[in-house]
C-alpha cells in the first residue's frame, strides 16, 4: 500500500524566530550592529591556538572538556567538576529545558527578556509564561513568585537582560534565590556579565553551591569575542552538573572552540580593555543620544535600547539599513517602539550617531 502520510513533528514549524531579513542599501560597507557581538575581535593568541589545533583536526575533541573546564575553574575560582561546556550558552539553556520540563509544564521568564527562553520552552512542549515587569523594565520578584504554579519547572532570568540591557541588583536576586521553591530550577543567564560594572551586580555564581536549584550560564560570545566559534559554559551544583552532562550532546564543544576558550581565558587584560572601551563608548553614545532628545534605556551591556514611538523605531531601522548600518527592531519582544543597537568601535559609533542625528533633524 502506498503510504502518503508525512512525518508529524512534535514541535510546530512556526513558533518564534530570531532570524530576520533586513533590506540593506547599496553601500560599500555593512556595519552589523544587530547581534550584540563584540567589535574588538580576539587577541592573536586565540587564533594561534585555533590554527595549532587545526593541525590535528582529524582527532576528536576531548568530550569531557577537561582542560577547558580547568581553565574556567582557575579564572573564576569554581570547581571544574561543576562546570559543563556548551556549544554556546544557548545550548545549555536548551539542555536545562530538556532535562527539567515536559509537555504541560510551565517555564517562567520575565517579560521583555531573551527570546530563547520561550523558544526552548516550545521545543520541549512546555508553556512559556512571561511575567510582567515593574516600570522601567525592572524585574518584579514578587510577581515572579506569585506566578509560580505546581506546573512551574524552570525560571530563566537574564542578568543583565537582553534586549533591555538593564541589570537586576544582587538584593533582588538574593530574594529570588531565597524565596523561589527549591524544586524549580533557577537559571541565571549572565551572558553580558563582563560589561556590567554596577557595584551591586552579581552573576549569581556565589549561590550555586549553597542552593540545590541554581544554574549560572556564561558565554565566550560577548566580551571574549568568540561568538562564531560557539563556546559557553554552565556552573551549577554537582547533582545538576551530572544530569546536564548526561543530557548534552557528546562532543558538543568542538576542538577549535575548546582551544580558543582556553587561550582566551588567559587574556584577562584583553577582556578588561574590552570592558573599558565598551563603557567609554556606551557613555559617549548615551550622552549624544540624550542631546538628541532620544530616550535610551539605562544599559549595563554592549548594546543600547532606544525608545522611538509612533513607528520611529522601524523608520530609523530602515534609514540606518539603507546606509549600511544593521540594527534590530523588537516587535517579536513586544517592544514595537524600541530599536536595539549594538555598540561598535569609535568610528562605527560616530557613524551611526551622525546618521541618527540626521534622521532626527531631517
Ligand atoms: C541573554 C543572552 N543569553 C544567551 C545568549 C546566547 O549566547 P551564546 O549562545 O552565543 O553563548 C545571548 C546571545 O545574544 C543573550 O543575549
Amino acid at each position: 500500500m502506498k503510504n502518503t502520510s508525512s512525518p508529524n513533528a512534535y514541535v510546530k514549524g512556526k513558533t518564534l524566530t530570531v532570524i530576520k531579513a533586513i533590506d540593506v542599501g547599496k553601500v560599500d560597507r555593512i556595519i552589523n550592529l544587530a547581534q550584540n557581538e563584540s567589535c574588538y575581535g580576539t587577541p592573536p593568541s586565540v587564533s594561534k591556538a585555533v590554527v595549532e589545533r587545526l593541525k590535528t583536526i582529524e582527532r576528536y575533541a576531548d568530550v569531557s572538556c577537561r582542560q577547558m573546564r580547568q581553565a574556567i575553574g582557575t579564572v573564576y575560582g569554581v570547581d571544574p567538576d561543576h562546570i559543563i561546556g556548551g556549544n554556546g550558552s544557548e545550548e545549555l539553556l536548551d539542555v536545562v529545558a530538556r532535562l527539567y520540563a515536559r509537555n504541560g509544564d510551565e517555564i517562567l521568564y520575565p517579560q521583555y527578556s531573551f527570546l530563547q527562553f520561550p523558544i526552548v520552552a516550545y521545543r520541549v512542549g512546555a508553556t512559556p509564561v512571561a511575567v510582567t515587569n515593574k516600570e522601567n523594565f525592572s524585574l518584579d520578584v514578587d510577581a515572579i513568585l506569585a506566578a509560580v504554579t505546581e506546573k512551574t519547572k524552570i525560571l530563566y532570568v537574564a542578568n543583565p537582560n537582553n534586549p533591555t540591557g538593564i541589570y537586576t541588583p544582587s538584593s533582588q536576586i538574593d530574594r529570588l534565590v531565597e524565596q523561589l521553591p527549591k524544586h524549580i530550577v533557577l537559571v541565571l543567564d549572565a551572558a553580558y556579565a563582563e560589561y556590567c560594572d554596577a557595584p551591586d551586580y552579581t552573576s549569581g555564581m556565589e549561590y550555586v553551591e549553597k542552593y540545590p536549584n541554581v544554574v549560572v550560564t556564561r558565554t565566550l560570545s560577548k566580551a571574549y569575542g568568540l561568538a562564531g566559534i560557539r563556546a559557553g559554559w554552565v556552573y551549577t551544583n554537582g547533582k545538576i552538573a551530572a544530569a546536564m552532562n548526561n543530557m548534552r550532546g557528546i562532543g558538543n564543544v568542538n576542538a577549535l572552540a575548546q582551544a580558543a576558550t582556553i587561550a582566551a581565558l588567559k587574556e584577562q587584560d584583553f577582556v578588561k580593555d574590552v570592558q573599558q572601551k565598551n563603557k567609554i563608548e556606551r557613555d559617549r553614545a548615551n550622552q549624544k543620544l540624550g542631546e538628541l532628545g532620544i530616550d535610551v534605556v539605562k544599559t549595563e551591556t554592549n548594546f543600547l535600547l532606544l525608545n522611538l514611538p509612533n513607528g520611529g523605531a522601524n523608520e530609523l531601522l530602515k534609514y540606518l539599513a539603507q546606509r549600511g548600518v544593521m540594527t534590530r527592531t523588537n516587535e517579536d519582544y513586544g517592544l514595537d517602539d524600541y530599536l536595539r543597537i549594538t555598540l561598535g568601535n569609535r568610528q562605527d559609533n560616530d557613524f551611526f550617531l551622525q546618521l541618527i542625528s540626521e534622521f532626527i533633524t531631517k
Side-chain angles (χ1 to χ4, degrees):
M1 200 178 70
K2 200 172 155 199
N3 188 346
T4 53
S5 65
S6 54
N8 197 8
Y10 282 104
V11 177
K12 278 185 279 169
K14 214 165 184 289
T15 52
L16 291 170
T17 177
V18 289
I19 300 161
K20 286 187 177 185
I22 304 178
D23 239 355
V24 188
K26 284 199 173 54
V27 286
D28 296 339
R29 193 165 78 99
I30 303 262
I31 303 172
N32 189 348
L33 303 180
Q35 287 174 291
N36 296 349
E37 298 150 337
S38 171
C39 61
Y40 298 109
T42 51
S45 61
V46 172
S47 357
K48 203 167 154 232
V50 171
V51 170
E52 195 52 38
R53 185 58 180 86
L54 260 180
K55 292 178 187 163
T56 53
I57 205 64
E58 73 282 5
R59 301 287 171 190
Y60 281 119
D62 169 12
V63 294
S64 73
C65 296
R66 193 178 50 84
Q67 264 186 293
M68 170 171 151
R69 289 186 297 101
Q70 272 169 355
I72 295 166
T74 305
V75 170
Y76 290 89
V78 295
D79 182 350
D81 288 342
H82 294 184
I83 291 167
I84 307 289
N87 182 32
S89 58
E90 191 278 336
E91 185 208 8
L92 300 163
L93 301 173
D94 185 78
V95 167
V96 173
R98 286 194 283 126
L99 259 179
Y100 293 102
R102 288 287 175 278
N103 208 357
D105 291 336
E106 290 175 356
I107 294 183
L108 294 182
Y109 62 101
Q111 190 185 23
Y112 310 132
S113 191
F114 191 35
L115 213 54
Q116 284 305 122
F117 301 156
I119 288 173
V120 298
Y122 286 131
R123 281 180 190 160
V124 298
T127 306
V129 180
V131 181
T132 310
N133 293 317
K134 288 188 183 165
E135 271 178 47
N136 306 327
F137 300 122
S138 64
L139 195 81
D140 189 338
V141 174
D142 293 320
I144 291 175
L145 295 172
V148 169
T149 71
E150 75 275 7
K151 292 180 183 163
T152 310
K153 293 290 160 59
I154 301 169
L155 164 64
Y156 289 103
V157 174
N159 191 23
N161 184 47
N162 176 17
T164 60
I166 65 165
Y167 82 103
T168 300
S170 58
S171 56
Q172 297 301 306
I173 302 291
D174 264 354
R175 218 152 68 74
L176 194 59
V177 176
E178 203 52 59
Q179 293 182 29
L180 189 75
K182 301 298 170 274
H183 64 277
I184 297 172
V185 180
L186 170 59
V187 179
L188 296 171
D189 173 345
Y192 298 94
E194 287 80 7
Y195 297 111
C196 186
D197 49 18
D200 57 349
Y201 169 73
T202 174
S203 68
M205 311 266 276
E206 73 272 27
Y207 302 112
V208 161
E209 305 291 354
K210 288 195 212 128
Y211 293 84
N213 59 332
V214 179
V215 172
V216 176
T217 59
R218 305 288 300 249
T219 186
L220 280 284
S221 295
K222 305 297 174 185
Y224 286 92
L226 292 179
I229 213 158
R230 312 305 297 133
W233 52 279
V234 138
Y235 174 47
T236 184
N237 62 55
K239 196 171 161 203
I240 298 181
M244 289 189 73
N245 216 13
N246 286 334
M247 184 56 97
R248 72 178 171 89
I250 191 145
N252 60 334
V253 190
N254 73 66
L256 303 183
Q258 290 189 36
T261 301
I262 293 161
L265 285 164
K266 290 189 185 132
E267 300 277 2
Q268 290 304 312
D269 286 347
F270 173 85
V271 179
K272 281 200 193 81
D273 191 48
V274 168
Q275 282 164 341
Q276 269 167 15
K277 285 184 178 138
N278 181 71
K279 184 175 161 38
I280 291 167
E281 289 306 302
R282 190 165 69 197
D283 290 347
R284 245 170 36 85
N286 269 318
Q287 175 160 352
K288 177 77 184 161
L289 293 166
E291 284 163 17
L292 292 172
I294 298 176
D295 184 17
V296 185
V297 179
K298 170 98 184 73
T299 177
E300 286 291 337
T301 59
N302 65 337
F303 58 88
L304 306 171
L305 192 68
L306 281 58
N307 184 4
L308 297 150
N310 308 319
N314 247 313
E315 271 181 45
L316 180 57
L317 173 120
K318 285 186 201 143
Y319 186 86
L320 293 173
Q322 283 305 310
R323 288 150 187 83
V325 179
M326 315 292 287
T327 58
R328 192 190 191 289
T329 50
N330 295 277
E331 299 96 344
D332 45 0
Y333 282 106
L335 291 168
D336 300 28
D337 290 344
Y338 290 84
L339 187 71
R340 197 189 70 190
I341 307 183
T342 309
L343 290 158
N345 59 28
R346 174 151 297 199
Q347 188 195 359
D348 293 348
N349 296 336
D350 280 343
F351 186 52
F352 90 70
L353 288 166
Q354 176 59 31
L355 290 177
I356 295 180
S357 164
E358 285 165 24
F359 173 82
I360 293 288
T361 50
K362 79 177 159 47

